[in-house]
Amino acid sequence: MHRDPPADVTIINFSEPQSLDPAIISAQPDMRIVSGMFEGLTRSDPKTGSAVPGLADHWDISADGRIYTFHLRTNLVWSTGEPLRAADVVYSWIRTLDPDTASDYAGQLFYVKNAEAFNAGKLKDASQVGVRALDPFTVQVELNHPTVFFLELCAMPMASVVPRQAIEKLGDNWIKAKPLPVSGPYQLAFWRVNDKVRLQKNPRYWDAANTQSKIIDLLPIVSASSALNLYERGQVDIVWDKELVPTELLDVLLKRPDFHTFNYLGTYFIRFNVTRKPFDDVRVRKALAMAIDKKRIVERITHGGEIPTSHFVPDGTAHYTSPEGLGYNPELARKLLAEAGFPGGKNFPRMEYMFNAAAGGGKIHEKIAIELQQMWRDNLGVDIELRQLEMQVYLSEQDALHYDISRSSWIGDYNDANTFLAMFVTNDGNNRTGWSNSHYDDLVQQANETTDAARREKLFQDAETILVRDEVPILPLFFYSGINYFDTNKIQGIYNNVVDLHPLQCIRKVRNSKPEIRNSEQ
Amino acid sequence: MSEETIDTLKPGVADQDGSPNAPVSSATQSGSSPAQRAWRRFKKNHPALLSAWYLALLLIVIVAWPVALKIIPATGPHGSAWAKAYAPEELSDAQFQSPSPQHWFGTDEHGRDVLSRVLYGAQISLLVGFVGASVSLVIGVLWGSIAGLAGGRTDSVMMRIVDVLYSLPSIIFVVVLITTLGQKLKQMPFVRHSPGIEHELRLMILFVGLGAISWLTMARIVRGQVLSLRTRQFVDASRTLGASPVRILFRHIIPNVFGVVIVYLTLTVPSIVLYESFLSFLGLGVQPPMASWGSLISEGVDQINPIRVYWWMIVFPGGVLVSTLLALNFLGDGLRDAWDVKGS
Amino acid sequence: MYFLRRLAYMIPLLLVISAITFWLVHLAPGNPFATERAPASPQIEHNLRAKYHADEPIWKQYVRYMGGLLHGDFGPSMKYRDHSVTDIIHQALPVSMLLGWLAFGFAMGVGLPVGFATAVRRGQWHDYLGSFLALLAVCIPGFVIAPLLVLGFAMKWKLLPVALWASPLHAVLPTIALGLYFAGKVARLFREGMLNTMQMEFVTAARAKGLGENTLLLRHAVRLAVLPVVSYAGPMLADLLTGSFVIEIIFQIPGLGVFFINSSLNNDYMLTVGLALLYAVLLIVLNLAVDFAYMILDPRVKYE
């Protein structure tokens, strides 16, 4: 048992971090912690989530939008005192792209020239990659084509600056370095497995004057009821992860001022395995899509103010308005199914809807699955079986296309339509449907190569139309609602934005304030 | 990992060294047969008797209810509508209704009737329990008897194997079994042809898995029993008369072991049912939308919160589970007390 | 002598267990490296697998693993990439052990007296009440009892903390929640043992000799009556000390129980095998202790 001195702010962060190495993490809870420890050329604005100067205090962009020249601040030091220079930035990016690092998010740096070839092992010379240090305070990046969201990518963990001095000394165990050099607002006080991560203010951070809290604790709790209980008793200050919300109680809880929902760039959708009969027939897919009343699911099951949707890219995505997809139309659905050879659902082969279970965690996927099953049965006469799998099995089955229909979700990495549409390009690792449409691929590629914002939007809209209206390899259900809870009188510095990014250094607890009155205590 | 193992039987009464405390049904007294005397003793045990009645009633209801739901629609549209309202997997708009004359146990989040789900869940849970216990019974009795009778090298090897398996944390084995067989199942040809079978087969895997981890203690106990039995005269007599080991096994050993074994069976079933509920908590139990008591309870546990409690979601499934397990235990205790000839 | 031989026999046993577990975890479907976001190229996963030697034939991986074991290296965790299996055990085992011993103490401290009282007052209301409560404790699943305790003591009456593991007060509810089931079992076993012993011949003989009832019970009967409990204590402690998944998840206790379950579900081969070996070692050592206790308590038992 450890009796630690109290933290300034205690946050329930959902799962135990798989790692704190910025290059290899891929889960959101891990990213929230890592962003507090390691910073990149840019960082996230707490109110909007968009990129603002971080380690670089200004930059120039060439006329064709392909060359970025970042000017680092001149006073940067690691938390351990060594100077932080442009060479460290280049080192970090190359490390992320290095195939031996096995970074899951390296793909987000593929907009950089030669990055993809280097990562695939085809290019061995790292100096050919389009990121170089022109001088100790200048980093120049050359992109393949103009990339609107590139600055936001620079704020993500895989582009943050990691300590070469520790990595060269300790290799894979560099996180255990004591002290661990960090480039961000917080250093790692300690990390107790499955217990807590404690962060402590880094006084050598360039913006340390504005770091609001000295000590922040992040707890790895996966049970929504435990999280709620801890919060109600005042043992924690903030609970922020959409998985930690007890959905059955939301209709009561959302009436309280300390529960907040906000628009969020995340979509809950269904994948069809188009390589398997009968899902190779677009009419079957459309029929199943039009037989689902998404409003019903959102009202009866999720309760979080989620937005039922027919398109895939969430509302509120910057520079973009989505086209409409297929709505709820059981009549038309039945007609299509009959045309495809299964009138009234007769002879429809036995198919399974696959979803993942969470040991001790929430059952939301199961509940949605049950509703979907009923709707397909009532509206189409089609009997879809349910198949619940453990997470790793679910992921590998999905990856290997060993499924019929699968529950899915996608959270945007940055505020742009590309993060949602690029994944369905042919053979993209995140496609996982077996669907391929060369016209779609072209549209997405052209959209990424143009600088004309209006044309870009149009290209994406055409692509999305193919995705959600014409070919329907996926069935979007609803957009996630960001949900978190904390007492706004006590906790300041958290602004709810669509990318759900809340920089740790802005969060502070106001002492001696009156807590909000919650209905349950009256 | 505590509740995650099945502790089925209490060691010590007839433990691995074949201690002389092992209760053995003896036929030494003249007069009424041991069975009759046992029955009389049993009848005097009120909790056990009550439990037997309760279980019998439960069994009847559990069997009759699905049958009713199938037959009644045949009486016309009124009947159909009635059956639909009470079908355990039929969703409706009546979410989270508290208990009422229409729904004695209320409804759940999907508008399904909780009473119906509890009854259907009972089928699964009791089936899992009994079949699992039977699997453990068969393996355990055979293994223990053979080891005990054979003696020497064979006995040693067989019990060493039991030792090794005993030291494995059972959860690993269960997870591997359920996930592996679950997958292999899909690929089997006959599953593709008759799809309905897959549910049954998945359940079977559950039984086999649960049975397979509880046979160890049974084997040890049976071996202990056999060791003490084989020194008794009637076994020697048989052997002198030239009876083969198999014959000895089936005609003498097993019937004598039978009493103890039946008792422990009724005490193993609760253990297995509880373990199934733990697996449901992990997401490894029966697949939705099927229900078992375990899955109903792990759904209902979310209702134990300080904000709003839909109490019927946990109280009814939990209450039925606990009363049935209590009844099984009382029954088992009663049977054991009745069979135990060592006096009152 | 006997005990040394049993200890020596532990080595081949552990070898067999490690081999079986190793084989079993590789049998299970699922890929420990699969993530929600696919890595940018198949090359990445290929490199990752190469790093962990995951594509080598199983026997080769096993040999490599055993080699590491000889150096005290249980291998890396494939899921928690910054920690080795040793790290995890080093941090989480003491926590599980502390809670385990506390629950053991509770189980004995409550179970033994209840078992004694119900046996001695057989047929009276003490017996009915005590036996019923003991049975009840054994029939309610842990993941129902724990939230009920939390709801009552921590939320409604605000007497105790809701969760986490930061002070002795934090240990109260988890101990009770964990220990109740075992207290029930111990009570029932001890009652059974007492009833059996009280009927035995040497007891009737001692009674005939005129020994006072209390001395009689405490000195003679109890020693033998407690044997079934002692037998059960071995496996019970092994389970308690390695942690309970349900209690640890509900009370957010950083013990080993969560890792036991999750490592299997996550296909984290190294962690699973390491934990299986740990459990086996504990069980063997505890069973030896049980046999030793048997030898002391029951003069009839002799080991050759």
Side-chain angles (χ1 to χ4, degrees):
Chain A
M1 263 184 190
H2 302 267
R3 262 210 145 107
D4 305 311
D8 294 317
V9 178
T10 308
I11 307 177
I12 296 188
N13 196 35
F14 194 49
S15 51
E16 168 73 4
Q18 242 188 295
S19 169
L20 290 182
D21 180 339
I24 67 180
I25 58 176
S26 62
Q28 274 191 301
D30 304 13
M31 290 194 180
R32 288 186 212 126
I33 301 179
V34 166
S35 309
M37 288 164 55
F38 299 100
E39 189 162 286
L41 293 166
T42 57
R43 63 179 189 180
S44 303
D45 178 290
K47 296 210 173 87
T48 61
S50 36
V52 294
L55 294 179
D57 72 357
H58 67 282
W59 48 82
D60 316 306
I61 310 180
S62 67
D64 63 355
R66 286 180 50 241
I67 314 257
Y68 283 69
T69 310
F70 292 94
H71 302 278
L72 291 182
R73 297 170 203 276
T74 48
N75 57 347
L76 295 174
V77 287
W78 289 96
S79 59
T80 39
E82 306 93 336
L84 202 165
R85 299 283 177 262
D88 292 302
V89 180
V90 176
Y91 170 81
S92 304
W93 284 36
I94 299 295
R95 176 175 182 264
T96 297
L97 289 169
D98 189 333
D100 287 331
T101 309
S103 161
D104 281 337
Y105 258 77
Q108 299 292 15
L109 288 178
F110 282 6
Y111 303 96
V112 175
K113 184 172 121 178
N114 288 335
E116 185 165 2
F118 180 68
N119 185 256
K122 298 197 198 115
L123 173 69
K124 301 282 186 216
D125 181 9
S127 64
Q128 301 268 10
V129 178
V131 57
R132 55 178 62 93
L134 294 182
D135 63 52
F137 297 102
T138 315
V139 178
Q140 190 179 69
V141 180
E142 189 181 343
L143 303 178
N144 293 323
H145 48 72
T147 307
V148 162
F149 43 85
F150 180 65
L151 290 170
E152 272 75 23
L153 289 179
C154 293
M156 290 177 68
M158 82 273 163
S160 60
V161 182
V162 292
R164 169 188 225 149
Q165 61 273 39
I167 299 175
E168 283 178 346
K169 212 162 30 155
L170 297 170
D172 280 340
N173 288 324
W174 68 273
I175 296 283
K176 295 186 185 153
K178 285 196 187 347
L180 175 66
V182 298
S183 49
Y186 285 97
Q187 20 186 6
L188 184 64
F190 56 76
W191 179 10
R192 280 191 225 125
V193 171
N194 217 27
D195 188 3
K196 70 165 80 152
V197 170
R198 172 164 283 205
L199 297 179
Q200 198 180 326
K201 174 170 172 167
N202 171 12
R204 291 198 166 106
Y205 179 58
W206 64 267
D207 199 25
N210 288 325
T211 303
Q212 299 295 326
S213 298
K214 282 242 283 293
I215 298 183
I216 298 187
D217 278 349
L218 294 124
L219 307 181
I221 297 181
V222 300
S223 154
S225 41
S226 299
L228 183 63
N229 288 342
L230 281 167
Y231 175 76
E232 293 284 282
R233 280 297 307 277
Q235 282 179 253
V236 304
D237 301 305
I238 303 170
V239 179
W240 66 13
D241 190 293
K242 60 181 182 348
E243 306 273 351
L244 282 174
V245 179
T247 45
E248 309 89 28
L249 300 172
L250 270 184
D251 50 340
V252 173
L253 292 173
L254 283 178
K255 298 197 181 111
R256 288 165 37 163
D258 51 345
F259 275 74
H260 323 105
T261 58
F262 49 95
N263 281 344
Y264 182 39
L265 296 186
T267 310
Y268 194 106
F269 67 103
I270 294 174
R271 282 183 160 96
F272 294 111
N273 182 351
V274 311
T275 63
R276 277 198 188 173
K277 286 183 158 10
F279 297 117
D280 52 349
D281 185 339
V282 64
R283 292 170 298 191
V284 172
R285 302 198 296 265
K286 284 187 179 175
L288 287 182
M290 291 194 277
I292 297 298
D293 181 2
K294 300 147 192 188
K295 204 146 92 44
R296 187 182 159 88
I297 293 181
V298 161
E299 283 169 4
R300 277 164 60 88
I301 304 294
T302 58
H303 302 301
E306 289 80 3
I307 304 173
T309 178
S310 65
H311 52 267
F312 187 57
V313 179
D315 299 337
T317 304
H319 328 298
Y320 188 73
T321 316
S322 285
E324 277 310 304
L326 297 175
Y328 176 52
N329 193 337
E331 281 290 313
L332 186 52
R334 279 189 281 272
K335 193 154 136 326
L336 279 172
L337 195 62
E339 273 177 38
F342 307 106
K346 232 166 51 142
N347 298 328
F348 197 84
R350 200 177 142 272
M351 288 288 125
E352 284 180 338
Y353 173 86
M354 174 172 91
F355 61 97
N356 53 309
K363 294 194 178 306
I364 190 74
H365 304 311
E366 180 183 320
K367 295 181 186 169
I368 294 179
I370 291 177
E371 293 283 324
L372 289 173
Q373 186 186 43
Q374 184 77 12
M375 284 191 236
W376 280 322
R377 188 184 297 143
D378 286 344
N379 285 331
L380 294 177
V382 160
D383 250 307
I384 307 277
E385 305 274 332
L386 299 184
R387 184 174 164 213
Q388 179 176 264
L389 293 174
E390 304 65 55
M391 187 60 154
Q392 298 302 122
V393 182
Y394 156 80
L395 287 176
S396 49
E397 294 282 83
Q398 195 179 79
D399 204 30
L401 292 181
H402 287 160
Y403 71 91
D404 302 316
I405 314 176
S406 170
R407 170 251 142 195
S408 309
S409 56
W410 188 258
I411 310 297
D413 291 315
Y414 45 83
N415 191 349
D416 186 275
N418 188 51
T419 181
F420 283 90
L421 295 175
M423 57 194 275
F424 290 109
V425 154
T426 303
N427 288 333
D428 187 293
N430 291 309
N431 183 327
R432 296 182 178 173
T433 59
W435 181 67
S436 166
N437 181 310
S438 51
H439 187 47
Y440 181 88
D441 298 347
D442 286 338
L443 286 169
V444 172
Q445 188 177 354
Q446 285 172 44
N448 273 321
E449 286 171 356
T450 180
T451 37
D452 181 344
R455 181 167 141 76
R456 189 163 185 271
E457 185 183 20
K458 179 79 177 50
L459 288 164
F460 275 143
Q461 283 169 336
D462 290 343
E464 194 177 355
T465 307
I466 300 179
L467 189 67
V468 299
R469 226 194 146 75
D470 302 333
E471 300 252 327
V472 195
I474 58 165
L475 162 56
L477 288 182
F478 57 82
F479 298 133
Y480 277 106
S481 247
I483 304 186
N484 52 37
Y485 48 102
F486 56 90
D487 185 335
T488 41
N489 286 341
K490 271 214 211 119
I491 302 287
Q492 293 177 357
I494 300 186
Y495 307 95
N496 288 326
N497 51 60
V498 292
V499 280
D500 202 17
L501 285 174
H502 314 289
L504 289 172
Q505 70 259 33
C506 304
I507 305 178
R508 74 183 222 272
K509 181 143 84 175
V510 174
R511 306 264 159 216
N512 303 321
S513 59
K514 282 179 75 167
E516 287 167 319
I517 296 179
R518 306 177 195 154
N519 290 335
S520 47
E521 282 172 3
Q522 283 169 332
Chain B
M1 330 143 294
S2 356
E3 71 286 291
E4 293 95 76
T5 52
I6 292 191
D7 62 333
T8 57
L9 313 161
K10 27 180 253 275
V13 173
D15 59 12
Q16 47 261 60
D17 298 312
S19 103
N21 283 341
V24 171
S25 57
S26 95
T28 47
Q29 291 177 340
S30 58
S32 46
S33 75
Q36 284 174 316
R37 267 178 280 123
W39 177 235
R40 246 181 280 133
R41 247 192 310 275
F42 183 78
K43 277 199 289 191
K44 285 207 213 132
N45 183 342
H46 294 302
L49 203 55
L50 245 116
S51 300
W53 279 114
Y54 169 77
L55 288 171
L57 196 61
L58 187 66
L59 225 55
I60 294 176
V61 173
I62 290 175
V63 170
W65 179 249
V67 171
L69 280 185
K70 287 232 162 55
I71 300 186
I72 292 194
T75 63
H78 216 54
S80 275
W82 183 90
K84 195 148 190 254
Y86 293 102
E89 293 173 15
E90 196 67 27
L91 310 192
S92 78
D93 284 333
Q95 269 186 313
F96 284 135
Q97 308 257 309
S98 53
S100 66
Q102 289 85 27
H103 296 282
W104 291 2
F105 283 5
T107 65
D108 69 1
E109 184 159 13
H110 298 282
R112 301 178 291 198
D113 178 54
V114 175
L115 173 57
S116 194
R117 283 182 72 72
V118 167
L119 289 176
Y120 270 81
Q123 280 190 342
I124 307 283
S125 292
L126 289 177
L127 207 56
V128 164
F130 276 102
V131 175
S134 306
V135 168
S136 94
L137 176 75
V138 167
I139 306 180
V141 166
L142 281 176
W143 194 279
S145 313
I146 295 176
L149 266 185
R153 212 67 192 305
T154 328
D155 177 23
S156 216
V157 166
M158 288 180 88
M159 292 327 274
R160 287 302 142 254
I161 296 183
V162 168
D163 282 344
V164 168
L165 292 179
Y166 207 74
S167 312
L168 279 179
S170 48
I171 188 65
I172 298 177
F173 179 72
V174 169
V175 169
V176 170
L177 188 73
I178 292 186
T179 53
T180 317
L181 283 188
Q183 247 210 345
K184 296 275 188 285
L185 217 53
K186 312 226 147 289
Q187 295 153 13
M188 284 192 209
F190 65 84
V191 172
R192 289 192 180 286
H193 284 302
S194 31
I197 290 222
E198 204 207 320
H199 275 308
E200 272 70 47
L201 281 179
R202 243 206 94 99
L203 276 182
M204 289 297 292
I205 297 176
L206 206 55
F207 307 155
V208 168
L210 294 178
I213 38 179
S214 31
W215 69 265
L216 296 170
T217 327
M218 176 74 83
R220 281 213 178 123
I221 297 209
V222 169
R223 174 182 171 272
Q225 279 282 66
V226 168
L227 280 181
S228 69
L229 270 180
R230 72 188 257 203
T231 57
R232 310 212 39 217
Q233 286 165 343
F234 64 93
V235 174
D236 274 340
S238 261
R239 210 178 269 133
T240 333
L241 287 174
S244 77
V246 174
R247 192 182 161 81
I248 295 182
L249 182 71
F250 280 97
R251 287 222 53 213
H252 296 293
I253 304 291
I254 289 190
N256 275 301
V257 164
F258 196 66
V260 180
V261 151
I262 283 296
V263 164
Y264 286 125
L265 198 62
T266 46
L267 296 175
T268 309
V269 171
S271 211
I272 297 192
V273 172
L274 275 177
Y275 197 73
E276 191 274 323
S277 76
F278 170 64
L279 288 183
S280 292
F281 182 73
L282 293 184
L284 288 174
V286 293
Q287 290 275 27
M290 275 209 292
S292 70
W293 282 340
S295 74
L296 289 173
I297 292 177
S298 57
E299 277 169 31
V301 160
D302 287 334
Q303 296 306 322
I304 306 178
N305 66 73
I307 308 287
R308 176 191 54 208
V309 184
Y310 288 135
W311 56 272
W312 57 95
M313 298 274 298
I314 180 76
V315 166
F316 290 122
V320 174
L321 171 81
V322 171
S323 6
T324 309
L325 295 189
L326 284 177
L328 282 166
N329 271 299
F330 279 132
L331 184 64
D333 283 348
L335 284 176
R336 187 182 52 219
D337 287 343
W339 221 277
D340 181 357
V341 189
K342 288 215 306 289
S344 53
Chain C
M1 7 114 274
Y2 177 73
F3 289 102
L4 285 179
R5 204 155 32 95
R6 288 276 294 268
L7 269 175
Y9 157 71
M10 184 160 90
I11 315 267
L13 185 60
L14 286 177
L15 261 166
V16 172
I17 289 177
S18 68
I20 294 181
T21 319
F22 207 84
W23 171 69
L24 274 180
V25 297
H26 279 88
L27 202 61
N31 173 7
F33 304 114
T35 45
E36 285 227 48
R37 290 164 177 264
S41 72
Q43 180 74 15
I44 305 281
E45 193 177 315
H46 182 80
N47 287 349
L48 200 53
R49 294 185 78 84
K51 199 165 171 178
Y52 287 96
H53 310 289
D55 282 330
E56 284 178 3
I58 295 190
W59 65 265
K60 214 165 174 198
Q61 292 186 49
Y62 179 66
V63 169
R64 184 188 295 276
Y65 178 72
M66 293 311 284
L69 267 191
L70 287 175
H71 297 119
D73 175 17
F74 280 78
S77 162
M78 289 152 127
K79 175 88 181 171
Y80 302 103
R81 308 249 281 259
D82 289 339
H83 301 281
S84 65
V85 173
T86 326
D87 284 338
I88 294 178
I89 295 183
H90 182 71
Q91 288 186 39
L93 184 60
V95 176
S96 285
M97 285 204 140
L98 178 55
L99 180 58
W101 279 113
L102 286 174
F104 181 74
F106 178 85
M108 291 303 196
V110 169
L112 289 176
V114 169
F116 185 82
T118 52
V120 161
R121 301 222 179 280
R122 181 188 192 162
Q124 299 170 35
W125 69 265
H126 314 75
D127 183 16
Y128 286 133
L129 185 63
S131 293
F132 180 71
L133 288 177
L135 192 53
L136 203 61
V138 164
C139 285
I140 306 184
F143 60 89
V144 172
I145 292 190
L148 283 174
L149 286 173
V150 169
L151 188 64
F153 291 97
M155 301 302 296
K156 268 233 140 61
W157 301 313
K158 301 196 179 20
L159 292 170
L160 291 164
V162 165
L164 304 178
W165 188 248
S167 76
L169 266 185
H170 285 84
V172 174
L173 283 184
T175 303
I176 299 179
L178 185 54
L180 262 178
Y181 174 86
F182 296 99
K185 268 230 121 50
V186 164
R188 282 164 60 77
L189 280 175
F190 193 43
R191 177 180 184 273
E192 187 69 32
M194 284 291 295
L195 290 179
N196 282 339
T197 330
M198 289 197 296
Q199 293 152 14
M200 280 160 80
E201 287 157 4
F202 79 93
V203 171
T204 6
R207 211 179 260 130
K209 272 204 276 182
L211 282 181
E213 196 74 15
N214 278 336
T215 342
L216 189 70
L217 285 171
L218 285 175
R219 208 182 298 161
H220 296 104
V222 170
R223 270 180 73 163
L224 287 186
V226 87
L227 285 177
V229 176
V230 169
S231 243
Y232 181 62
M236 169 164 99
L237 257 181
D239 286 341
L240 281 174
L241 295 181
T242 46
S244 153
F245 178 80
V246 168
I247 301 296
E248 288 175 15
I249 279 251
I250 293 178
F251 290 100
Q252 197 49 36
I253 295 175
L256 219 47
V258 172
F259 288 107
F260 256 104
I261 305 285
N262 281 337
S263 67
S264 305
L265 295 176
N266 287 334
N267 297 96
D268 192 345
Y269 308 137
M270 297 292 182
L271 188 55
T272 312
V273 178
L275 291 177
L277 282 175
L278 178 71
Y279 177 77
V281 167
L282 262 175
L283 193 62
I284 293 173
V285 167
L286 287 170
N287 273 336
L288 264 179
V290 163
D291 284 344
F292 192 70
Y294 246 83
M295 200 172 77
I296 297 185
L297 287 170
D298 187 349
R300 295 171 299 172
V301 173
K302 290 209 186 334
Y303 300 111
E304 71 288 331

